Amino acid sequence: MIYNEEYETMPREALEAIQLRRLQTTVTRVYNTVSFYRKSFDEVGIKPDQVRSLDDLRNLPFTYKDDLRDNYPFGMFSVPMDSVVRIHASSGTTGKPTVVGYTARDIKTWSELMARTLMAGGVTRGDIIHNAYGYGLFTGGLGFHYGAETLGASVIPISGGNTKRQVMIMTDFGPTILTCTPSYALLMAEVAEEMGVDFKGLKFKAGIFGAEPWSEQMREEIERKLNLKAMDIYGLSEVIGPGVSVECIEAQSGLHIFEDHFIPEIIDPETEENLPYGTPGELVFTTVTKEAFPIIRYRTRDISILHPEPCRCGRTMVRMGRVRGRSDDMLIIRGINVFPSQIESVIMETDGVEPHYQLVVEREGRMDTLSVMVEVDERTFSDEVKNLQTRERSLEKNIKETLGVSAKVKLVEAKSIQRSEGKAVRVIDKREI
Ligand code: DLL
């Protein structure tokens, strides 16, 4: 089912006409109201009326995370504070958070996009949504919440944390849809098992999981353990929050980007050149309807790929591939580029391992070392030491063959790696560079 049939299935030509009109309005608006944009456009000598086609977008300067930090907290807002009805922020790993604002109309737009998202993920009015994304400054909880209400589904605003209580509520209220990060979904499965609750006896039919990278193998694991269909959702605070793109339940193959609101580009992060459809690179987004916090050519650092072919669900908008990782998450180990998600894929193809792992990067002298800690199930862990070591060596060999990097694998006891109720911590980089 499609929430906004007219827009979500619009022919390309009509969509591009709308995008261009909206882009021109946005560019004029930011030039006139945000001193950062006026300055950056002036620096390259471009005026808003020179944006005459969608291709002209490429002439506009990029916006970087540092630009948002430099204008902390409200310097990038394009409306006076009396028009801002909501503020969110995302906490980075270092320094001050990135702050974003919404007008009443932005909240309406976001709610509709989240209603579209939920329906793409198989949600209808009769569903009960167990929403375990964090409520607060993080955009996940409230983003899903407003979308659920706009769609007319029932929402349980449980937020993250207190997992045993979550399992009790799931058992008693019979929710049909689960929304949380993929790593938290796995933790729920674990806690439920400890409590003697079987997901097969619960009513879940689908889950919409995102806010962090995860792999196809992880999807299979979640679908099996939680007995539901798992969809990937992508978004970021700077663009709107969740509601930028989502997989449909019909195909589960690529995430539909809501292009009537966000124009995606893929660029080479080094040369900053635009790349054609079908080539992996860094995602760049321009918002074309946001009022309080419009953003032009934002460098997401997320590595993905765009596919223009229409989907069998009927939606015509471009799909993005699963995010492989961030260009700044990419580990460079002895000169080799390694994404944690690639290691995850290798790990998850191994028998007896659990989908919980952590990568530790250290520097010994001038040499980088990569250790991969992977949990194994109890049966495997209680196996003879010799067999455990054979498994470790075999995983090391697979990692070396697939990624070209040497790693030291350590198989550890189930539940010994720190769990997360939000975004998982997969990498510990102890190098001081
Ligand atoms: O994580 C918004 C969100 C909430 C998305 C709930 C999906 C569900 P931020 O906290 O600003 O916003 O973090 C954004 O998280 O640039 C990606 O690096 C990463 N990310 C988000 N979704 C995915 C995904 C929310 N499906 C950053 N796969 C983004 C991989 C993702 N990475």
Side-chain angles (χ1 to χ4, degrees):
M1 287 223 290
I2 297 181
Y3 184 79
N4 189 332
E5 185 104 30
E6 184 191 348
Y7 278 85
E8 292 181 74
T9 64
M10 193 173 264
R12 194 80 216 160
E13 214 171 295
L15 173 68
E16 288 184 356
I18 291 177
Q19 284 181 319
L20 177 59
R21 215 179 53 234
R22 291 180 170 176
L23 173 65
Q24 289 168 327
T25 309
T26 300
V27 168
T28 307
R29 170 191 196 99
V30 297
Y31 189 78
N32 292 331
T33 54
V34 184
S35 60
F36 164 79
Y37 285 112
R38 175 174 293 253
K39 217 168 122 233
S40 71
F41 286 19
D42 284 349
E43 267 166 23
V44 296
I46 194 158
K47 293 270 182 279
D49 63 6
Q50 288 171 304
V51 178
R52 296 194 191 96
S53 71
L54 284 177
D55 281 342
D56 291 338
L57 176 61
R58 298 179 178 194
N59 302 328
L60 298 175
F62 292 111
T63 306
Y64 300 86
K65 185 126 191 154
D66 275 349
D67 298 325
L68 310 186
R69 288 216 185 94
D70 293 346
N71 290 283
Y72 176 85
F74 305 143
M76 298 293 273
F77 287 14
S78 157
V79 296
M81 274 321 268
D82 65 2
S83 300
V84 173
V85 301
R86 176 95 67 83
I87 293 166
H88 279 287
S90 77
S91 48
T93 39
T94 50
K96 300 264 192 200
T98 304
V99 183
V100 297
Y102 303 77
T103 63
R105 206 190 77 176
D106 291 335
I107 295 289
K108 245 181 117 182
T109 305
W110 191 18
S111 306
E112 166 174 341
L113 293 181
M114 282 309 294
R116 288 190 196 178
T117 295
L118 290 167
M119 195 163 264
V123 183
T124 57
R125 285 180 66 98
D127 279 306
I128 304 178
I129 303 174
H130 185 102
N131 185 21
Y133 282 108
Y135 281 64
L137 282 178
F138 177 53
T139 51
L142 285 168
F144 271 85
H145 187 98
Y146 275 60
E149 289 189 347
T150 301
L151 181 65
S154 318
V155 55
I156 307 172
I158 190 133
S159 193
N162 202 343
T163 312
K164 279 195 176 150
R165 186 159 157 270
Q166 302 246 358
V167 174
M168 181 191 83
I169 299 280
M170 282 174 189
T171 315
D172 296 348
F173 294 11
T176 48
I177 304 291
L178 177 62
T179 57
C180 60
T181 59
S183 50
Y184 195 34
L186 284 172
L187 174 57
M188 287 183 184
E190 222 169 65
V191 173
E193 199 189 335
E194 280 166 15
M195 292 167 69
V197 172
D198 185 353
F199 264 85
K200 290 202 180 63
L202 303 184
K203 298 217 174 87
F204 287 118
K205 58 179 191 191
I208 306 180
F209 305 113
E212 64 183 7
W214 53 311
S215 61
E216 256 335 284
Q217 290 84 348
M218 183 88 98
R219 188 212 303 269
E220 284 164 26
E221 188 89 18
I222 291 177
E223 292 195 331
R224 191 168 52 75
K225 287 197 167 145
L226 281 80
N227 193 37
L228 44 70
K229 272 198 156 208
M231 264 64 64
D232 190 8
I233 172 172
Y234 169 85
L236 60 166
S237 323
E238 296 88 326
V239 172
I240 201 159
V244 176
S245 66
V246 71
E247 283 180 330
C248 59
I249 193 162
E250 291 88 350
Q252 288 180 295
S253 165
L255 296 84
H256 297 272
I257 299 177
F258 297 120
E259 282 183 284
D260 48 336
H261 295 272
F262 315 113
I263 304 181
E265 297 172 78
I266 290 273
I267 64 158
D268 178 324
E270 300 294 321
T271 64
E272 306 199 322
E273 293 292 320
N274 279 81
L275 297 172
Y277 285 145
T279 309
E282 180 182 328
L283 269 171
V284 170
F285 280 104
T286 300
T287 67
V288 291
T289 52
K290 292 250 310 282
E291 291 183 330
F293 191 90
I295 201 155
I296 306 291
R297 302 196 84 200
Y298 184 61
R299 296 282 306 263
T300 64
R301 302 286 172 196
D302 292 322
I303 306 293
S304 184
I305 187 166
L306 296 178
H307 296 293
E309 304 79 28
C311 180
R312 65 181 153 91
C313 70
R315 291 179 181 79
T316 49
M317 295 184 182
V318 154
R319 275 175 285 169
M320 56 181 263
R322 188 182 270 298
V323 171
R324 297 174 44 186
R326 295 175 54 82
S327 59
D328 49 7
D329 251 13
M330 188 178 76
L331 296 165
I332 306 182
I333 295 164
R334 295 188 293 272
I336 300 168
N337 298 348
V338 177
F339 286 103
S341 59
Q342 294 174 296
I343 297 200
E344 177 180 310
S345 298
V346 178
I347 294 172
M348 298 287 296
E349 274 161 17
T350 316
D351 232 26
V353 305
E354 295 285 323
H356 301 284
Y357 67 94
Q358 205 158 47
L359 314 182
V360 183
V361 192
E362 285 166 295
R363 178 159 286 178
E364 284 168 18
R366 282 163 183 261
M367 279 287 272
D368 297 331
T369 59
L370 170 65
S371 318
V372 182
M373 321 252 266
V374 191
E375 284 184 15
V376 286
D377 56 31
E378 269 164 41
R379 199 170 45 84
T380 311
F381 193 73
S382 55
D383 208 349
E384 282 177 42
V385 175
K386 184 166 61 67
N387 292 346
L388 219 50
Q389 284 173 345
T390 313
R391 279 169 179 274
E392 286 174 343
R393 296 302 84 76
S394 129
L395 243 175
E396 283 169 0
K397 190 162 155 270
N398 289 349
I399 291 174
K400 176 84 188 173
E401 274 168 11
T402 321
L403 289 123
V405 71
S406 312
K408 188 156 178 27
V409 172
K410 186 155 175 44
L411 297 178
V412 296
E413 200 173 356
K415 299 181 189 159
S416 56
I417 292 174
Q418 170 93 42
R419 298 290 186 263
S420 154
E421 291 160 354
K423 302 189 190 222
V425 179
R426 301 289 193 201
V427 181
I428 300 177
D429 199 336
K430 296 185 175 162
R431 292 176 294 187
E432 280 169 19
I433 312 176

